[in-house]
Amino acid sequence: MTSRRRFITLFGAAFGSSLLLSGCLGNPPDRSGSSATIPKPEPAAAAKLETTTIKLGYIPILEAAPLVVGVQKGFFARHGLKVELAKQASWPAARDNVVLGSAGGGIDGGQWQQPMPHLITEGIITDGKKVPMVVLAQLISQANGIAVSNSLKAENLGLDLSGSVDVFKRFPEKQGRKFRASYTFPNANQDLWIRYWLAAGGVDPDKDIELLTVPSTETLQGMRNGTMEAFSTGDPWPFRIVSDDIGYLAALTAQMWPAHPEEFLAVRSDWVDKHPKAAVALVKGLIEAQQWADKAENRSEVAKLISSRAYFNTPVDVLEPALKGEYLLGADRKAMNDPTMGPIYWMSDRGVISYPYKSLSLWFLVESLRWNMHPGKLTTIEQARALVDKVNREDIWRQAATELGLPAKDIPTGSSRGKETFFDGIVFDPENPQSYLNSLKIKR
């Protein structure tokens, strides 16, 4: 499997060096930030907590916006916490830094693709070193896309690839190599989104194309250089591909699975065990940040907050349209202006986004089983269920929501969001994952 899901080494020495630096164990997080404008923890609230500080890692994509909002607007401080945000060079760097922990110069937790917290807990992606993690909340829904190079403009690839299978299978005849597609970390969100998209259209992602792991910051240059034909990642990168006229947006993950689970807040279990009151305070601040960020009238300010050099270092005019669900879709750049297809931070037609449903985390692990990503380590649905039960702490979220006085309708009482339906008609029933696996035509 590693030969198929290798890191791309096609961008020259400079790119190779960036991969090595970002992936090394102990790579220090970037602590840049504008502390002068950050509200200080409220003393009375801080006095009730076991600790008033936590160090969280983030990747500069829209999934991280609630964390930035929580810091800059004082939502975490209101509940007694000073949250230090540490920009991570890549997902491997974030993984390695959480293994170190803040005491070792790393981080206590932060923003994660699923199922990274579960795999870290079992040592599956940390060379056997088990670092138990706790999933506290979902940060966001949607805000991801699959971009395709302008070299395939004539093919106008879209959501449904069933009529375009030959584009991928005959690619080697024309180019002398397989079609290349990338994602930012193997066996997690963006890998799974592009696999689902391809397989739903009849393209086998392990046989018909070559899948590559590339940090999101390198995708723009990679597509410009012609070293990849497609990539799956979070905004603002798909939007940048379109705005820079390097490629086009073939599909939004919101089209693939409306109100789908995206990235999550998770921290080391030992931090939560040692600081249970602070863990609740962290979730309280996050919930309020998500509620604020989800309001349409605040999206412009969200763009300004995250655009600064201290955080994303990205122009507001790139971030704001993506935050508002304003996209140009397809090779013909058809305009879409639909906030329901953009990032959702708090409320969707499926209910509260922030809640860490076990059923949603289970899907990611079931997809790992579908592609046999962890042979000998994660092989059964029973293992997957047990791992979700261990890692997802719905009780902390419920306590935080109750203490905030949220209305009962906004506090889920069960661990399942129910059945999930994908764009190709496939249904995932968390009560019967085997039926879902049986219904899929392409799998390992």
Side-chain angles (χ1 to χ4, degrees):
M1 299 294 269
T2 55
S3 63
R4 288 197 296 268
R5 295 191 292 272
R6 60 181 176 83
F7 278 89
I8 187 169
T9 57
L10 301 166
F11 299 162
F15 175 68
S17 297
S18 72
L19 276 179
L20 291 172
L21 288 171
S22 66
C24 291
L25 183 64
N27 177 51
D30 177 358
R31 291 179 173 80
S32 60
S34 179
S35 59
T37 61
I38 297 174
K40 294 181 179 180
E42 202 279 321
K48 300 175 183 178
L49 306 181
E50 307 89 353
T51 183
T52 59
T53 61
I54 185 170
K55 206 172 291 183
L56 301 179
Y58 75 97
I59 299 289
I61 51 180
L62 295 187
E63 285 86 334
L67 298 178
V68 176
V69 167
V71 169
Q72 289 293 326
K73 299 295 289 185
F75 293 114
F76 294 127
R78 176 185 300 175
H79 299 287
L81 273 180
K82 177 185 178 183
V83 173
E84 179 182 340
L85 295 183
K87 188 185 298 184
Q88 304 295 293
S90 65
W91 290 109
R95 172 202 60 200
D96 294 346
N97 279 318
V98 84
V99 170
L100 285 175
S102 61
I107 56 177
D108 297 306
Q111 161 199 359
W112 301 99
Q113 293 189 57
Q114 289 271 41
M116 289 182 72
H118 305 81
L119 302 179
I120 292 170
T121 293
E122 290 298 291
I124 293 174
I125 58 173
T126 51
D127 294 326
K129 182 176 176 58
K130 296 184 178 183
V131 180
M133 300 283 289
V134 171
V135 168
L136 295 173
Q138 183 176 323
L139 290 171
I140 187 176
S141 175
Q142 307 180 161
N144 271 241
I146 297 171
V148 174
S149 167
N150 276 340
S151 64
L152 292 163
K153 212 168 189 177
E155 286 77 4
N156 196 13
L157 301 179
L159 181 65
D160 182 2
L161 296 177
S162 58
S164 306
V165 175
D166 282 351
V167 173
F168 300 89
K169 295 193 174 184
R170 298 184 64 182
F171 196 85
E173 299 174 18
K174 298 179 179 179
Q175 300 295 328
R177 62 168 175 81
K178 288 184 176 180
F179 182 104
R180 290 183 181 136
S182 73
Y183 47 76
T184 57
F185 191 83
N187 313 338
N189 285 34
Q190 292 149 11
D191 182 6
L192 300 179
W193 299 144
I194 202 162
R195 284 173 172 273
Y196 197 100
W197 175 64
L198 291 163
V203 180
D204 191 318
D206 290 322
K207 297 177 181 179
D208 297 332
I209 70 162
E210 185 177 6
L211 281 173
L212 310 164
T213 304
V214 181
S216 56
T217 52
E218 303 290 347
T219 52
L220 207 66
Q221 190 61 32
M223 190 169 285
R224 182 181 283 116
N225 290 345
T227 51
M228 68 177 79
E229 280 68 54
F231 74 78
S232 165
T233 190
D235 272 319
W237 298 107
F239 190 91
R240 283 287 301 274
I241 285 290
V242 177
S243 64
D244 289 11
D245 199 23
I246 299 169
Y248 60 93
L249 199 52
L252 298 171
T253 52
Q255 295 174 305
M256 294 167 56
W257 180 3
H260 66 76
E262 191 36 49
E263 292 177 10
F264 286 65
L265 171 66
V267 301
R268 289 174 58 117
S269 182
D270 55 6
W271 190 92
V272 173
D273 292 342
K274 191 176 179 180
H275 312 113
K277 293 178 182 178
V280 173
L282 177 65
V283 176
K284 287 162 75 172
L286 176 68
I287 286 174
E288 291 184 328
Q290 290 178 294
Q291 291 176 319
W292 186 89
D294 213 39
K295 294 178 180 178
E297 63 267 27
N298 292 335
R299 290 296 172 103
S300 294
E301 188 174 350
V302 172
K304 292 176 183 176
L305 289 173
I306 65 178
S307 71
S308 74
R309 182 169 296 187
Y311 296 112
F312 285 28
N313 194 23
T314 301
V316 170
D317 60 4
V318 170
L319 294 166
E320 191 168 352
L323 279 164
K324 294 181 176 181
E326 297 172 2
Y327 298 103
L328 298 175
L329 295 180
D332 51 357
R333 299 167 72 89
K334 183 178 180 181
M336 170 191 281
N337 187 354
D338 185 354
T340 67
M341 298 300 285
I344 306 173
Y345 294 110
W346 176 246
M347 186 64 67
S348 75
D349 59 5
R350 295 297 304 273
V352 171
I353 287 300
S354 179
Y355 191 75
Y357 280 109
K358 291 182 179 180
S359 65
L360 299 182
S361 290
L362 180 63
W363 178 83
F364 292 94
L365 291 173
V366 170
E367 280 293 286
S368 297
L369 298 176
R370 172 188 184 178
W371 301 112
N372 192 28
M373 288 175 166
H374 310 292
K377 297 177 181 177
L378 182 65
T379 57
T380 68
I381 290 171
E382 291 70 27
Q383 282 180 293
R385 285 194 188 279
L387 191 49
V388 170
D389 285 340
K390 180 192 296 186
V391 175
N392 288 51
R393 288 290 302 272
E394 297 171 330
D395 59 312
I396 295 175
W397 194 97
R398 287 194 193 112
Q399 183 178 344
T402 300
E403 290 185 12
L404 285 174
L406 263 63
K409 65 180 180 60
D410 290 346
I411 305 178
T413 57
S415 295
S416 176
R417 198 171 75 166
K419 295 180 181 180
E420 306 290 340
T421 303
F422 296 81
F423 76 100
D424 57 347
I426 296 293
V427 175
F428 173 69
D429 182 353
E431 299 303 316
N432 188 3
Q434 190 60 53
S435 175
Y436 168 78
L437 288 174
N438 293 343
S439 70
L440 300 167
K441 294 180 180 179
I442 299 179
K443 56 197 170 192
R444 300 282 78 84

